[in-house]
Amino acid sequence: MIRRRFSALVLALAAALVLSACGAGTPSGDPDAQVLTLMGKKSDLEKSYMTRVFEAYETATGNRLEIISYEDNEYEALAQAQFEQGHVPDVFLHFHNADLARFDTEENFYYLNGESWVDDLTDSARAYCQDGEGNLLGLPFWESSVSGCYYNKTLLDSLGLKPATTQKEFDMLCQALASTGYTPICWPADGCGWMVQFAMDPIFADDPALLEKLNHNEITYADIPQMTDMVRWIAGAAEKGWFGSDHMATGWDDISPALVSGKAVMTFIWDTWFYTDLEQGGQYSAEDFALMPVFMGTAPSGTYEGGNLNMMMVNKNSDHLQLALDFLSFCAAPENYNAAFDGISTVSCFKGQTTNIQSKMVTDAHDSIEANERASTAASKIIGYSSGDAVAAMNGLFSGRMDIDGCLQYMDKCRMANAGWDDPAPGA
């Protein structure tokens, strides 16, 4: 069980925020209107496609949505405090990551396996929202992306180099770029940890039995040869200069300058970043980039990670259970999700999605993505996984404070502590 430590002050603040948030939905004017409570992060709930579908639902049904929103950096703690007091909303928004373990999905949420809209979900969206037993936890009503290795195709062409299709080719490409003075990969070691999960996805997505053993505390990362391969590749890449000389001081805000200047040729990231965060006016723009798989020693043909999606989950103990399920069905109707996502840059979450915009980088790599994409698995399905712990482990490796074995042991120690397992796995 996850350890839970909340002071009386936090609980009181959470209650105050709920009271201040109630009634945030648009009044219907009908005293007999039914009311649904919906809880989410403030920035998530303000996305244009979310406000569109909320307004459409209230207009079409005459019902009212009572919005409960928390600031992003307080959401997990304050939402958990509400759950512990028994204040569970009818509809709860959450990503399928390690923090979801705070909310006891089996006890609190309705499995959506039999809903009429399930077959309209894309395979990757559906896989992301399933738990380890294959139960569908939520409706993925969100913008999606494809994570992979985004590379400067213009620069590669000018050097007579080609993108890689195998780990061996990728290593040769990195070596060639480093020998000509370029930083092959912008690795933002200062605070960014998502890169590691890309390498881990194939290990556990391709072997569900291995994931189950890890999550039952029967084995550790250190018992899995591919985890050692991953850490060894990352350590070797850093030693060879493939991340550049300043990767330890490179953070989120430094990725864009490195790419638009041509200082760095590649980075492991997602397509929507190029339309939301890439600086304008540099030597290179989004049109100069293309997509190939991530190679980090764990998948010979590389891997892509499917989108991390915000899910609409339903409180199975709600007095308004059917109303909440009807709300999800409204959101999952093609005419409604197409109106909500009209003009939004996103990979489709629904098979009938037609009004969204997909990046050329993704559409050009369609066949490769089809062959090598995995649902986000490390961050969403490994109990106790934390990207913050991955940052600390990799930086311990880069600084020389940890060797390969020590890095894996640290990751195992953090994972088990987060999961509330005080004792190591048998044989660890």
Side-chain angles (χ1 to χ4, degrees):
M1 180 179 293
I2 302 294
R3 295 183 177 86
R4 297 172 176 172
R5 301 183 180 94
F6 286 93
S7 66
L9 177 62
V10 170
L11 292 171
L13 177 59
L17 282 171
V18 166
L19 290 174
S20 67
C22 290
T26 303
S28 68
D30 181 356
D32 297 322
Q34 299 187 79
V35 178
L36 272 178
T37 55
L38 186 149
M39 182 183 290
K41 293 180 182 178
K42 183 175 184 292
S43 67
D44 291 349
L45 296 170
E46 291 175 348
K47 297 286 188 183
S48 61
Y49 44 86
M50 300 300 286
T51 58
R52 286 176 189 173
V53 81
F54 293 164
E55 291 169 4
Y57 171 77
E58 291 186 330
T59 299
T61 65
N63 297 328
R64 184 163 64 88
L65 295 173
E66 191 171 275
I67 303 297
I68 305 168
S69 67
Y70 298 140
E71 294 294 339
D72 292 14
N73 62 348
E74 299 174 322
Y75 184 61
E76 304 296 346
L78 295 181
Q80 184 179 346
Q82 288 303 307
F83 273 62
E84 290 182 340
Q85 294 182 87
H87 303 315
V88 181
D90 300 316
V91 179
F92 180 62
L93 270 64
H94 204 284
F95 287 84
H96 194 181
N97 55 28
D99 279 319
L100 187 58
R102 298 172 181 242
F103 300 100
D104 196 345
T105 55
E106 186 174 356
E107 177 66 25
N108 288 311
F109 297 111
Y110 186 87
Y111 292 149
L112 301 164
N113 307 332
E115 295 303 292
S116 61
W117 43 262
V118 171
D119 288 341
D120 191 33
L121 296 178
T122 62
D123 291 343
S124 59
R126 182 172 180 172
Y128 177 85
C129 297
Q130 291 176 324
D131 65 12
E133 284 70 49
N135 295 306
L136 189 66
L137 301 178
L139 171 71
F141 196 88
W142 198 243
E143 62 190 74
S144 188
S145 60
V146 175
S147 295
C149 178
Y150 287 84
Y151 66 95
N152 189 325
K153 63 182 179 181
T154 303
L155 205 156
L156 283 195
D157 287 345
S158 71
L159 297 172
L161 298 172
K162 295 183 178 182
T165 59
T166 66
Q167 182 73 57
K168 182 178 179 180
E169 289 178 2
F170 186 73
D171 291 350
M172 292 172 63
L173 175 61
C174 290
Q175 190 58 48
L177 289 168
S179 68
T180 55
Y182 291 97
T183 296
I185 305 164
C186 178
W187 182 285
D190 185 11
C192 301
W194 65 77
M195 303 81 72
V196 175
Q197 74 192 50
F198 299 165
M200 292 174 62
D201 283 344
I203 301 173
F204 299 101
D206 296 353
D207 191 344
L210 192 68
L211 176 64
E212 186 173 359
K213 288 181 180 179
L214 186 75
N215 281 341
H216 282 85
N217 202 25
E218 296 172 4
I219 59 172
T220 67
Y221 290 146
D223 298 318
I224 303 171
Q226 284 172 285
M227 288 293 295
T228 301
D229 293 341
M230 177 192 76
V231 177
R232 181 180 293 114
W233 186 90
I234 293 172
E239 290 170 3
K240 295 167 188 170
W242 293 357
F243 301 154
S245 60
D246 59 350
H247 62 285
M248 292 286 286
T250 299
W252 172 262
D253 292 336
D254 303 305
I255 304 172
S256 183
L259 293 183
V260 298
S261 67
K263 175 185 176 182
V265 181
M266 302 180 283
T267 196
F268 300 149
I269 208 159
W270 45 93
D271 58 302
T272 53
W273 178 88
F274 284 86
Y275 303 97
T276 58
D277 293 270
L278 189 71
E279 295 176 3
Q280 303 299 312
Q283 183 176 355
Y284 298 101
S285 65
E287 288 69 31
D288 292 298
F289 287 85
L291 173 61
M292 64 176 157
V294 166
F295 296 95
M296 275 193 272
T298 62
S301 298
T303 187
Y304 301 94
E305 183 186 64
N308 288 278
L309 304 171
N310 214 346
M311 305 182 296
M312 292 183 179
M313 306 173 67
V314 171
N315 174 7
K316 73 176 184 181
N317 304 306
S318 168
D319 293 336
H320 307 108
L321 174 60
Q322 188 56 54
L323 189 65
L325 293 174
D326 291 344
F327 169 70
L328 263 62
S329 294
F330 180 91
C331 295
E335 63 272 22
N336 296 326
Y337 63 64
N338 275 316
F341 285 96
D342 187 15
I344 301 296
S345 178
T346 175
V347 174
S348 299
C349 289
F350 301 94
K351 294 174 183 175
Q353 203 163 351
T354 59
T355 58
N356 54 307
I357 302 168
Q358 299 198 52
S359 75
K360 189 173 186 299
M361 292 178 285
V362 169
T363 55
D364 284 351
H366 176 269
D367 291 346
S368 178
I369 294 168
E370 283 287 303
N372 299 297
E373 184 183 37
R374 278 90 173 176
S376 179
T377 302
S380 63
K381 292 184 169 62
I382 293 177
I383 297 172
Y385 182 85
S386 163
S387 61
D389 295 336
V391 171
M394 294 305 116
N395 287 353
L397 186 72
F398 297 147
S399 66
R401 291 183 289 107
M402 302 177 190
D403 59 13
I404 292 171
D405 290 340
C407 180
L408 286 170
Q409 289 169 6
Y410 178 83
M411 292 178 69
D412 272 323
K413 181 179 178 180
C414 292
R415 176 182 56 83
M416 289 188 282
N418 293 338
W421 298 330
D422 295 323
D423 298 320

